Amino acid sequence: MRPLNWLETRGDALFAYILLAPAFLLLAVVAFFPLIQTFRFSLRADAIRSADPFGAFVGFENYTNLLTGSAPLPQQFMDLSFGTPILQQALFVTLAFAIISVLFETLIGFGQALILDKEFYGRRWVRVAIIIPYAIPIVIQAMIFYLIFSPRIGFGTEFMQWLGVFGSNPLSNTTDSFLIVLVADVWKTSAFMALLILAGLQSIDRQLYDVAKVTGASPWQRFKYITMPLIAPPLLVAMLFRTMDAMRIYGLIDATAGCQTVPSMSCLVITALQATRRWASASAVAFLTAVTIGLVVVVYLIGLRDSEAGMT
């Protein structure tokens, strides 16, 4: 009984940390140990012709080569005429894809959530229709858009050419393929944003809107002063999840246009392993990807803390 008596005399914060200790330990084993191993591997040299894929300890040489553009990786990675280092190419594509896709998915998902939050006949079937794209596997989703914009059999290429947007073979052009992958991702994952935002909307006390109506608040004022402040924390959480997922994108790109056409940080890791078998360089790219995602997560957490502080 002594351990129980000791726990009862501790503060609430310490008691909560003790209860969470097993979860923290599991997180350290599952998440942080592979990350530490990846960092250790990135400090070794590439050993292409050796049975061991990792050579001698070279410190931060792999990172220096990646940041300066002298890494021994495939250089013709995008159809660019200027000599942009390969890491900067992949980082630009990854960040641009994450920012644009999350922006449109948030706007579309917010609109869908506002509609589903209303009472109307057939709302259940509308909700099912919104969820269906999110339930489609990534490979099937990629094949759908690949066939739509395939030069010979797809109807999307001719239509976009008629609009003057795409070229004759959009799947071999970086800009066109980037737009195709972007639209495919927005089409699929807007439902994810809608469901999370809808959960936040339905948690708002409806009496607040009734009081606002009685005081003469307009629909815009009710949205500005009630909906947005209360929906901000769950909205930031939804955006955080989607941003992390968007910055890890690989399967949709590879199955639609290929990593050589639309590179991302994850594509660069796979290319380094498959094309050149440079495991140490790939480990360095993987660790830099994790660091980049971690910095983005910190920014979101700061925004989430500020939004929650504003509500208290």
Side-chain angles (χ1 to χ4, degrees), residues 182-229:
L182 184 66
V183 172
D185 188 74
V186 172
W187 173 76
K188 176 180 174 65
T189 53
S190 294
F192 174 81
M193 297 293 291
L195 293 177
L196 292 183
I197 297 172
L198 178 62
L201 288 174
Q202 294 186 341
S203 67
I204 299 176
D205 188 357
R206 302 296 168 173
Q207 293 182 356
L208 296 174
Y209 294 105
D210 296 335
V211 173
K213 289 180 181 179
V214 172
T215 57
S218 64
W220 169 247
Q221 290 175 327
R222 295 196 297 269
F223 177 81
K224 180 179 180 181
Y225 295 108
I226 298 177
T227 303
M228 280 305 300

Side-chain angles (χ1 to χ4, degrees), residues 123-299:
R123 184 177 68 168
R124 180 182 303 176
W125 298 108
V126 174
R127 184 175 301 181
V128 172
I130 291 176
I131 296 175
I132 286 178
Y134 188 68
I136 297 177
I138 292 179
V139 175
I140 305 300
Q141 170 201 6
M143 289 306 301
I144 291 175
F145 281 84
Y146 173 81
L147 294 174
I148 290 176
F149 292 99
S150 182
R152 296 182 179 179
I153 60 177
F155 64 88
T157 301
E158 294 183 359
F159 178 72
M160 298 302 287
Q161 279 185 292
W162 179 72
L163 294 178
V165 179
F166 284 175
S168 58
N169 190 3
L171 295 176
S172 62
N173 178 274
T174 297
T175 304
D176 297 347
S177 297
F178 179 84
L179 293 176
I180 293 172
V181 174
L182 184 66
V183 172
D185 188 74
V186 172
W187 173 76
K188 176 180 174 65
T189 53
S190 294
F192 174 81
M193 297 293 291
L195 293 177
L196 292 183
I197 297 172
L198 178 62
L201 288 174
Q202 294 186 341
S203 67
I204 299 176
D205 188 357
R206 302 296 168 173
Q207 293 182 356
L208 296 174
Y209 294 105
D210 296 335
V211 173
K213 289 180 181 179
V214 172
T215 57
S218 64
W220 169 247
Q221 290 175 327
R222 295 196 297 269
F223 177 81
K224 180 179 180 181
Y225 295 108
I226 298 177
T227 303
M228 280 305 300
L230 295 179
I231 201 64
L235 177 63
L236 285 176
V237 171
M239 294 177 64
L240 171 61
F241 285 135
R242 272 303 306 141
T243 302
M244 291 190 298
D245 192 36
M247 294 188 68
R248 300 195 307 265
I249 185 169
Y250 166 72
L252 181 60
I253 292 177
D254 187 58
T256 304
C259 285
Q260 296 293 335
T261 306
V262 185
S264 67
M265 296 291 285
S266 297
C267 280
L268 183 56
V269 175
I270 302 301
T271 304
L273 292 176
Q274 293 180 346
T276 61
R277 298 189 60 82
R278 298 185 180 274
W279 293 73
S281 298
S283 299
V285 177
F287 186 78
L288 288 176
T289 304
V291 170
T292 304
I293 295 175
L295 293 176
V296 173
V297 170
V298 170
V299 174

Side-chain angles (χ1 to χ4, degrees), residues 11-22:
D12 293 339
L14 180 59
F15 185 70
Y17 282 120
I18 293 174
L19 294 179
L20 291 174

